[in-house]
């Protein structure tokens, strides 16, 4: 009988108040076991204070071949960056 | 190394003219130091070679637990036992990081496991040697993990993103492994004459198998040239072996132990040691399955897989029952 446990993607919040960050994946029969396994696999040295697990099949990802059209609109809008504007030195820090 | 003699798939290195437009663009990304991610286009050979290499690396971490696990119940103190347990648990973790990297290439965990269990995939030759005394725990940590680090540090820069990230995690944890091994060796080398003799004996038995971990010379190998162009192999086997010897000999001297090689001499001109090659015939025998422990190691992995089947199935059945109950309640 083939019963491979589903794959879970693991996200961990480190000690530093940052967002949860993807650290890898593992197999587990359910979410509860995925968290327990993630504790053992990804936080053996105190790397985290919070774990999220998401079934890999539930993730929708952008396609790498769309990279051009997907991000082109932001490339052409240089005025979104503060460095676009020349503020005279006399104005002081801004 | 942990991955030895990985054959690349294809006809060897192609010139830019022989490559398709896609292959040229791919090679240009690698040359520019970009990371390749799982969903990016990649040549079939790159994918297959990486599955073989990462899979073999993962299997080595898992099988590598056996020779050390052998001593957990007989560690000389509670502290040593706790340390060895933590080390062996790390090896399991390293295996899992690597399996998950390989799975992003489209091979399933079960497929990889089955290929290990029926001998289609290999693991490092080093784990087919027995660990006969407690001093072997020292020699394994010091030499075997030391040799592994030599290979894994450059692999942090490998072109395949998930592999590179797995290697970064592994390297962060691995230096504890080598240090705890050296610590055992120091204790024994400074102990009673019998303890020092045990340490020397462990060095005698593990020296050449450790040198074999890097694999035979591959400076003329087409497989190696392709893997190096793809940045899934960063150095030749000889380069890494030389580096390992140069690093390890002074450590042996510090311990007051003798490297079992009468040809070992400092070569001022090359700025490194000259040393004897290991017995490559023995290496090929071990790779073929005829090493001292090949049968035991595979039998242990097969037994674990077979004996664990009811647990894997039972837990899946339980999870499905819970899910169905939850859905019915909603």
């Amino acid at each position: 009988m083939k019963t491979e446990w589903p794959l879970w993607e693991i996200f961990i919040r480190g000690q530093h108040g940052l967002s949860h960050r993807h650290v890898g994946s593992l197999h587990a029969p359910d979410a509860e076991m995925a968290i327990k396994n993630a504790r053992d696999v990804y936080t053996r040295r105190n790397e985290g204070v919070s774990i999220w697990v998401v079934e890999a099949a539930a993730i929708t990802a952008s396609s790498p071949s769309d990279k051009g059209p997907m991000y082109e609109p932001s490339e052409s809008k240089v005025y979104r960056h503060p460095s676009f504007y020349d503020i005279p030195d006399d104005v002081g820090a801004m | 190394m942990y991955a030895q003699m990985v054959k690349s798939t294809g006809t060897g290195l192609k010139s830019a003219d022989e490559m398709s437009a896609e292959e040229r663009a791919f090679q240009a990304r690698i040359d520019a130091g970009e990371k390749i991610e799982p969903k990016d286009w990649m040549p079939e050979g790159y994918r297959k070679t990486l599955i073989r290499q990462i899979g073999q690396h993962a299997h080595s971490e898992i099988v590598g637990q056996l020779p050390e696990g052998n001593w957990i119940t007989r560690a000389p103190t509670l502290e040593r036992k706790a340390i060895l347990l933590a080390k062996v648990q790390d090896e399991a973790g390293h295996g899992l990081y690597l399996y998950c990297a390989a799975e992003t290439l489209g091979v399933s965990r079960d497929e990889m496991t089955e290929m290990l269990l029926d001998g289609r995939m290999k693991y490092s030759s080093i784990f087919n040697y027995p660990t006969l005394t407690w001093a072997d725990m020292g020699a394994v940590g010091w030499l075997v993990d030391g040799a592994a680090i030599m290979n894994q540090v450059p692999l942090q820069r490998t072109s395949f993103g998930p592999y590179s990230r797995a290697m970064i995690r592994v390297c962060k944890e691995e230096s504890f492994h080598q240090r705890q091994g050296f610590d055992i060796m120091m204790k024994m080398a400074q102990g009673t004459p019998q303890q020092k003799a045990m340490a020397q004996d462990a060095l005698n038995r593990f020296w050449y198998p450790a040198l074999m971990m890097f694999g035979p010379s591959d400076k003329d190998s087409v497989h190696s040239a392709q893997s190096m162009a793809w940045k899934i192999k960063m150095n030749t086997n000889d380069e890494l072996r030389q580096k390992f010897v140069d690093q390890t000999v002074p450590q042996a001297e510090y311990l007051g132990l003798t490297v079992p090689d009468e040809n070992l001499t400092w070569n001022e001109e090359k700025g490194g040691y000259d040393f004897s090659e290991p017995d490559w015939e023995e290496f090929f025998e071990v790779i073929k399955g005829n090493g001292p422990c090949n049968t035991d190691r595979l039998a242990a992995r097969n037994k674990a897989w077979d004996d664990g089947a009811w647990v894997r199935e039972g837990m899946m059945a339980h999870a499905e029952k819970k899910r169905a109950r939850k859905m019915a309640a909603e």
Side-chain angles (χ1 to χ4, degrees):
Chain A
M1 183 166 85
K2 283 260 173 224
T3 49
E4 191 174 85
W5 292 345
L7 189 67
W8 300 78
E9 298 296 335
I10 311 301
F11 299 81
I12 289 180
R13 186 204 299 285
Q15 307 276 13
H16 319 292
L18 300 173
S19 308
H20 284 74
R21 188 166 151 247
H22 182 242
V23 292
S25 62
L26 50 76
H27 289 270
D30 57 25
E32 200 185 323
M33 281 306 298
I35 287 190
K36 290 196 169 120
N37 291 349
R39 198 268 319 256
D40 291 342
V41 178
Y42 291 106
T43 67
R44 285 193 304 283
R45 286 173 179 74
N46 224 9
E47 288 95 337
V49 292
S50 165
I51 300 174
W52 287 351
V53 299
V54 182
E55 227 182 306
I59 292 181
T60 310
S62 65
S63 151
S65 57
D66 288 347
K67 204 155 73 183
M70 187 95 154
Y71 303 107
E72 188 282 326
S74 77
E75 271 171 32
S76 59
K77 294 175 181 60
V78 283
Y79 45 81
R80 283 185 167 155
H81 297 279
S83 53
F84 179 75
Y85 304 93
D86 276 330
I87 304 292
D89 289 347
D90 298 347
V91 178
M94 182 179 284
Chain B
M1 187 30 48
Y2 272 19
Q4 292 159 322
M5 305 191 65
V6 176
K7 290 202 167 35
S8 61
T9 301
T11 47
L13 211 45
K14 288 184 187 171
S15 71
D17 293 338
E18 294 166 315
M19 288 184 197
S20 68
E22 276 172 319
E23 286 171 328
R24 250 196 311 276
F26 178 82
Q27 189 61 49
R29 288 187 62 196
I30 289 183
D31 294 342
E34 277 184 43
K35 295 282 182 234
I36 308 301
E37 295 298 337
K39 288 191 162 185
D40 294 350
W41 184 89
M42 60 185 80
E44 211 32 45
Y46 179 84
R47 180 189 304 278
K48 286 198 176 135
T49 308
L50 265 178
I51 289 176
R52 245 175 251 160
Q53 179 172 333
I54 303 174
Q56 199 183 110
H57 197 156
H59 295 327
S60 299
E61 301 284 355
I62 298 300
V63 176
Q65 295 178 99
L66 296 170
E68 290 182 295
N70 181 35
W71 279 92
I72 290 174
T73 55
R74 293 173 288 164
T77 66
L78 188 55
E79 186 185 62
R80 293 283 182 200
K81 184 177 189 162
I83 292 171
L84 187 59
L85 259 176
K87 198 222 169 214
V88 172
Q89 193 192 12
D90 270 358
E91 305 298 0
H94 296 176
L96 294 180
Y97 305 156
L98 285 157
Y99 280 131
C100 101
E103 284 179 273
T104 65
L105 291 160
V107 62
S108 80
R109 177 77 57 93
D110 279 5
E111 277 174 77
M112 278 188 285
T113 305
E114 279 158 16
M115 285 195 276
L116 167 68
L117 297 181
D118 67 19
R120 274 176 294 160
M121 279 179 100
K122 302 282 180 209
Y123 54 89
S124 175
S125 58
I126 190 73
F127 301 118
N128 291 313
Y129 290 86
T131 46
L132 304 176
T133 74
W134 173 252
D136 290 7
M137 295 302 96
V140 167
W142 173 38
L143 301 173
V144 175
D145 288 270
I149 290 169
M150 215 90 264
N151 176 256
Q152 289 171 164
V153 166
L155 276 176
Q156 293 178 97
R157 292 179 285 112
T158 186
S159 62
F160 187 55
Y163 193 24
S164 154
R165 294 190 283 273
M167 280 297 103
I168 290 169
R169 292 190 72 90
V170 166
C171 286
K172 257 192 212 162
E173 300 179 350
E174 196 87 67
S175 74
F176 137 60
H177 297 179
Q178 192 186 13
R179 282 168 170 237
Q180 66 86 35
F182 193 73
D183 188 61
I184 293 173
M185 291 305 267
M186 276 199 300
K187 200 81 184 172
M188 298 204 71
Q190 293 161 4
T192 63
Q194 289 94 327
Q195 286 171 328
K196 188 170 180 185
M198 278 168 76
Q200 180 63 55
D201 172 59
L203 171 58
N204 292 349
R205 283 181 289 107
F206 276 95
W207 176 254
Y208 287 106
L211 295 188
M212 289 179 201
M213 287 175 68
F214 299 95
S217 179
D218 61 350
K219 56 183 191 297
D220 305 318
S221 150
V222 286
H223 298 299
S224 257
Q226 177 62 79
S227 288
M228 287 176 86
W230 280 335
K231 291 192 188 160
I232 57 184
K233 185 178 169 75
M234 311 303 283
N235 308 85
T236 66
N237 296 347
D238 290 325
E239 277 167 13
L240 292 172
R241 188 169 15 250
Q242 181 70 51
K243 229 176 136 186
F244 174 74
V245 172
D246 293 346
Q247 179 190 285
T248 310
V249 170
Q251 294 167 352
E253 282 166 5
Y254 178 87
L255 293 171
L257 300 178
T258 310
V259 172
D261 179 1
E262 32 186 60
N263 298 318
L264 187 75
T265 42
W266 177 255
N267 181 333
E268 190 61 50
E269 212 173 299
K270 76 172 179 188
Y273 287 92
D274 290 332
F275 56 93
S276 304
E277 292 275 311
D279 176 353
W280 291 115
E281 263 175 50
E282 176 184 319
F283 170 79
F284 287 113
E285 280 303 308
V286 174
I287 290 273
K288 262 193 273 172
N290 303 325
C293 297
N294 296 59
T295 313
D296 282 358
R297 301 295 186 235
L298 270 189
R301 288 314 307 152
N302 273 288
K303 184 176 186 309
W305 180 250
D306 295 341
D307 290 355
W310 69 273
V311 179
R312 293 193 300 275
E313 287 162 17
M315 289 188 68
M316 202 60 229
H318 178 67
E320 269 155 21
K321 195 171 77 183
K322 264 201 318 190
R323 197 171 305 148
R325 213 180 272 155
K326 200 176 154 206
M327 284 204 4
E330 274 167 8

